[in-house]
């Protein structure tokens, strides 16, 4: 999680206990988030699709079903096949047995036949709007068992035949219509076991009503479905049915279409029961996009809890596009620096190619120290003392913030002791800036070249002096030991007018020095406050690491062998 690195980083002036507790909490939240992500991955791997139910309206006539008729221990004969057209007229199909019925293959005890129209007829209902001339309402098939005695041996019940309805697009009689996917094989096996099987009994008429169903199975290894995008389906059409049975009359009336009862043993009819298709669609429960959404919700909850406990993390306005070039450039710079350092060490040792382990260790330490120096943020590098000790960014910020706090506390004490004492400084209050009266402010300015060094030296003296009562440090420029030059016409010998002029000039000079000292003190105070603001922004609000790396990248230079002194080449 993004706040783990920030949580383990100790900010200036923070106690270690707070840093440890914050880091431990962040690491625990990170582990919880990773565990939740693993749980989501497991759900994706072991996902079981749900079934979504819907319906499709049939507005045009549809294909007629393929009818499988089977009997045991006896062959069958089909006396007659009648059809009721869309105008409710009944007619007989010519050459029904030769043109529409075929015998199944194999020498099994069960004898099966398949009645198929091959789109020469189409099934329709009154609710359909677009109906063709091939539309029919019902099929009536008269069957006769060639050996009722053999059928009676196979069962103790009334002799009967079984009727199974297939959709032409999913029929085991048609080679290639049933695929090899697990769902297709499963549905085909269920049909063979008699999921939607009907029966036509001896001396009975059976009305079979069927309803088309569509099962939309997700294709195996469909990447779109796993991701949560559009799924690819395999449409499996099946027909479910129910039936009504009535016994035949002993002596049917002579007018047609009744036949002589001795010509057939049973009748069954097949017709469409509804004008809609029942659709079952597989819907994947767990997808990659859904898991990402759940992971994002968990991440948001954990982040909210972290912010409530420890506050917001620093802003990072720069991403990988900014950091990758700097990272590549930094490694390239280190490699070149290592090459130049090797060449420098080679020339320094007068061509001796063999280096001891101690020299290698010293070189590595030096390189590491230089690298740590480059990590020091830009806005307080000038405050660091030039010493041999390696100082890190956190140490430097801690020192600077501590100095600011000490100065602020001592300033508050001074305001309590004498409010407004430093608001105005004139010639009568110059003793406040006199180093002889304030030994903790005495600084030898001759050995320092800039105001920063004077500031650090004075602050060290202030911290070591136990009786000091002020925190503000003013730099008093050294006064010249020579008196100011006077104009040629001035009378120095004993003129009272000349003495008054000299006194006025000295007083004006002192006032100018006081004014200059106050301006310098104010400038130092503003500079310190700006520096404090920069540290607070970088440590608590904005992550400026990228800017520091850019500055190192732009300011870094590699010395070539030609730049080395003549004695070191």
């Amino acid at each position: 999680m993004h706040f783990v690195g920030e949580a383990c980083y100790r900010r200036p002036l923070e106690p270690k206990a707070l840093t440890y507790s914050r880091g431990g909490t962040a690491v625990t939240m990170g582990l919880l988030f990773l565990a939740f992500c693993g749980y989501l991955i497991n759900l994706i791997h072991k996902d079981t699709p749900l079934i979504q139910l819907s319906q499709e309206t049939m507005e045009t006539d549809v294909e007629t079903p393929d009818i499988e008729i089977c009997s045991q221990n006896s062959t069958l004969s089909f006396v007659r096949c009648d059809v009721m057209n869309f105008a409710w007229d009944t007619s007989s199909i010519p050459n029904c047995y030769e043109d529409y019925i075929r015998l199944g293959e194999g020498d099994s005890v069960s004898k099966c036949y398949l009645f198929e129209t091959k789109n020469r007829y189409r099934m329709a209902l009154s609710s359909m709007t677009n109906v063709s001339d091939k539309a029919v309402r019902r099929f009536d098939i008269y069957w006769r068992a060639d050996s009722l005695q053999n059928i009676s041996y196979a069962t103790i019940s009334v002799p009967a035949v079984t009727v199974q309805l297939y959709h032409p697009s999913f029929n085991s009689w048609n080679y290639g219509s049933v695929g090899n996917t697990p769902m297709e094989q499963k549905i085909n096996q269920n049909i063979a076991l008699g999921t939607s099987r009907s029966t036509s009994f001896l001396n009975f008429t059976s009305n079979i009503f069927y309803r088309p169903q569509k099962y939309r199975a997700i294709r195996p290894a469909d990447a779109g479905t796993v991701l949560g995008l559009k799924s690819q389906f395999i449409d499996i059409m099946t027909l479910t049915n129910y039936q009504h049975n009535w016994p035949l009359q002993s002596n049917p009336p002579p007018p047609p279409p009744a036949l002589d009862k001795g010509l057939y043993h049973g009748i069954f009819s097949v017709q469409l029961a509804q004008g809609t298709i029942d659709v079952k669609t597989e819907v994947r429960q767990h997808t990659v996009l859904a898991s990402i959404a759940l992971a994002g919700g968990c991440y948001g909850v954990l982040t909210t809890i972290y912010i409530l406990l420890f506050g917001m993390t620093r802003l990072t306005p720069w991403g990988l596009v900014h950091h990758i070039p700097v990272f590549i450039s930094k490694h390239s710079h280190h490699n070149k620096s290592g090459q130049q350092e090797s060449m420098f060490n080679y020339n320094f040792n007068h061509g001796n190619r063999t280096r001891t382990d101690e020299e290698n260790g010293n070189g590595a330490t030096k390189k590491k120290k230089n690298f740590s120096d480059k990590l020091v943020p830009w806005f307080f590098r000038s405050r660091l003392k030039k010493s041999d000790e390696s100082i890190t960014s956190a140490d430097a910020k801690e020192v600077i913030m501590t100095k600011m706090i000490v100065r602020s506390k001592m300033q508050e004490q001074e305001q309590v002791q004498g409010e407004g004492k430093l608001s105005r400084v004139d010639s009568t209050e110059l003793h406040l800036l006199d180093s002889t009266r304030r030994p903790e402010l005495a600084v030898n300015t001759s050995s320092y070249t800039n105001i920063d060094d004077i500031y650090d030296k004075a602050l060290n003296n202030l911290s070591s002096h136990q009786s000091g009562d002020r925190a503000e440090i003013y730099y008093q420029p050294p006064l010249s030991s020579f008196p100011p030059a006077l104009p040629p016409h001035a009378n120095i010998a004993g003129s009272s007018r000349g003495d008054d002029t000299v006194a006025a000039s000295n007083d004006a000079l002192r006032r100018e020095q006081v004014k200059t000292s106050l301006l310098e003190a104010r400038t130092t105070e503003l500079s310190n406050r700006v520096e404090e603001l920069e540290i607070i922004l970088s440590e608590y609000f904005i992550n400026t690491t990228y800017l520091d790396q850019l500055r190192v990248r732009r300011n870094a230079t590699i010395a070539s062998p030609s730049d080395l002194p003549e004695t070191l080449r």
Side-chain angles (χ1 to χ4, degrees), residues 161-182:
V161 296
T162 59
V163 180
Q164 178 67 53
L165 304 183
Y166 294 96
H167 194 275
S169 64
F170 191 78
N171 187 357
S172 58
W173 287 69
N174 300 329
Y175 179 78
S177 62
V178 179
N180 296 324
T181 61

Side-chain angles (χ1 to χ4, degrees), residues 335-371:
N335 293 335
K336 293 181 180 179
S337 299
Q339 296 176 1
Q340 297 296 338
E341 184 180 358
S342 299
M343 184 177 298
F344 174 81
N345 291 330
Y346 172 78
N347 294 327
F348 184 79
N349 292 324
H350 305 285
N352 186 10
R353 298 179 181 271
T354 304
R355 301 179 63 184
T356 62
D357 295 339
E358 182 178 0
E359 292 174 348
N360 291 330
N362 294 334
T365 304
K366 181 178 180 181
K367 185 176 181 181
K368 183 176 181 181
K369 182 175 68 175
N370 294 335
F371 177 75

Side-chain angles (χ1 to χ4, degrees), residues 213-224:
Q213 287 187 348
K214 181 190 293 186
Y215 190 93
R216 309 197 69 188
I218 300 175
R219 290 185 178 275
D222 183 21

Side-chain angles (χ1 to χ4, degrees), residues 1-7 9 11 299 312-324 537-549:
M1 305 179 76
H2 76 283
F3 52 77
V4 174
E6 288 286 338
Y9 175 75
R11 300 171 182 173
Y299 189 89
M312 294 183 62
T313 58
R314 292 185 298 175
L315 298 178
T316 306
W318 304 281
L320 294 177
V321 176
H322 301 85
H323 287 283
I324 289 177
L537 288 177
S538 66
E539 290 298 309
Y540 290 89
F541 296 98
I542 302 177
N543 189 350
T544 59
T545 305
Y546 174 70
L547 294 179
D548 297 333
Q549 292 175 351

